[in-house]
Amino acid sequence: VPSPDLSVWGIVVAAGSGSRFGTTKQYELIGGRSVLDRAVDATLHACGGVVAVVPASDVERLRRDDVLYVGGGSTRSASVRRGLDAVPAVADVIVVHDGVRPNAGPALFDAVVAAVRGGAEGAVCAIPLTDTIRRADGGTVDRSDLVAVQTPQAFRAEVLRRAYEGEGDATDDATLVEAVGGRVVVVAGAPDNIKITHAHDLAVAAALIGCPP
Amino acid sequence: VPSPDLSVWGIVVAAGSGSRFGTTKQYELIGGRSVLDRAVDATLHACGGVVAVVPASDVERLRRDDVLYVGGGSTRSASVRRGLDAVPAVADVIVVHDGVRPNAGPALFDAVVAAVRGGAEGAVCAIPLTDTIRRADGGTVDRSDLVAVQTPQAFRAEVLRRAYEGEGDATDDATLVEAVGGRVVVVAGAPDNIKITHAHDLAVAAALIGCPP
């Protein structure tokens, strides 16, 4: 077993209070393991250490020897900032993963980290859009050059830290990295790497993993 | 039981040969019923008659008293044209539905037909995009006014026929209707109204319907 690569750290963002979902979806169980633990385990595959950003009220309660829990902020970006504060300065690549994507496989983590090791300042995984896209007020949009962005996303640590120095807020880290001039590449994501958004997505994730409902 | 409204006809498009999927996915079973039969049954909810466009080699084999099977063409638009040829002239509203969307509920059909009855030339159901969207060559796209288009879609029959008079080809009927000046409105779709695209989508659809795998 190789020793963990402490130059790569992960931030798993799971600070949502479930205002849309109706409950804290990151703690729901799929095949006996929580959505969050599944996301953390996948991130640990590629990272020497993982910071999980969770609701502040849950920090004391959650316990895993291999995870550093920190309390989140009021927005996703505020939560990532808290996570960044907890990542050791030695890390030169930082992987950010949504805590509500329980199905991301190791290959996705390997791919985004390899892209950054290969010279990119950031790498996101993404998939082609399969549905026709239109503007709500009329007109079909050419989707041929559009992709749906997923996590994991990997970044050179100093670029990600620079992106989060300001007050910027975005639902996506690559957006902030590009706003400070960072170059972000796209690697192939996976259609089954779903985000738990609606209650029925738990059954979907279980079906994709092959767990009994 | 009200008698069927023969002024509304449905076209269920299921002529794909499965080149991407690896098999003819419209015949796969979910809870003992084929994907296509589920799509047809949902369409019959709102329509006095249904034309199902299937691979030409399957027309003789398929049998349902309440469905008219016709052979498809080499593109989706060619298949819709074959379907239109089989829809009686008396129909003044035509609903088009993907034969690989087995989970569309009756409310979606009611909504698109009602929108056309209410004056629109076309109505599609669509859902907001939940993922961040970016251009493959860089840059985040503002998704706030974008929607992912689903079927069913309903149209005034003469407008849909006019849209298909030319040689135009599109993956989406509303796109062709707008190309001839038709006005298309968007009604709320459903996140669980998935299109069977990948093999794993069968398990997903089953989970959403609540069928055992």
Side-chain angles (χ1 to χ4, degrees), chain A residues 17 43 58 99 146 170 195 199:
Chain A
S17 62
T43 307
D58 297 331
L146 301 181
K195 183 164 61 175

Side-chain angles (χ1 to χ4, degrees), chain B residues 16-192:
Chain B
S17 62
S19 53
R20 271 196 303 174
F21 190 79
T23 177
T24 44
K25 54 194 171 184
Q26 61 272 44
Y27 306 131
E28 295 287 328
L29 300 182
I30 299 174
R33 280 164 65 214
S34 75
V35 169
L36 174 56
D37 278 341
R38 288 180 175 274
V40 165
D41 287 343
T43 307
L44 279 166
H45 164 80
C47 298
V50 164
V51 176
V53 189
V54 296
S57 54
D58 297 331
V59 169
E60 292 302 312
R61 172 177 76 76
L62 294 165
R63 283 277 169 271
R64 273 180 70 153
D65 288 344
D66 50 358
V67 176
L68 183 61
Y69 294 99
V70 303
S74 60
T75 65
R76 185 180 189 284
S77 293
S79 294
V80 175
R81 282 188 186 89
R82 304 278 177 87
L84 276 172
D85 289 343
V87 170
V90 67
D92 59 8
V93 176
I94 298 176
V95 178
V96 184
H97 185 46
D98 291 332
V100 291
R101 289 195 190 262
N103 290 16
L108 299 185
F109 289 86
D110 290 341
V112 291
V113 171
V116 173
R117 289 280 187 225
E121 293 179 298
V124 304
C125 52
I127 56 173
L129 297 171
T130 54
D131 289 324
T132 297
I133 306 297
R134 59 185 287 122
R135 303 202 178 280
D137 58 1
T140 302
V141 174
D142 178 8
R143 71 169 185 257
S144 61
D145 70 335
L146 301 181
V147 293
V149 177
Q150 306 178 329
T151 69
Q153 304 185 356
F155 304 95
R156 281 170 50 186
E158 75 271 19
V159 177
L160 186 63
R161 291 191 189 275
R162 181 150 43 88
Y164 275 98
E165 270 168 13
E167 298 292 311
D169 191 57
T171 56
D172 173 70
D173 302 286
T175 304
L176 288 179
V177 165
E178 287 185 324
V180 296
R183 190 174 58 86
V184 176
V185 300
V186 173
V187 306
D192 63 353

Side-chain angles (χ1 to χ4, degrees), chain A residues 25-38:
Chain A
K25 53 194 173 184
Q26 62 271 45
Y27 305 131
E28 295 286 328
L29 299 183
I30 299 173
R33 280 163 65 214
S34 75
V35 169
L36 175 58
D37 277 342
R38 288 179 176 273

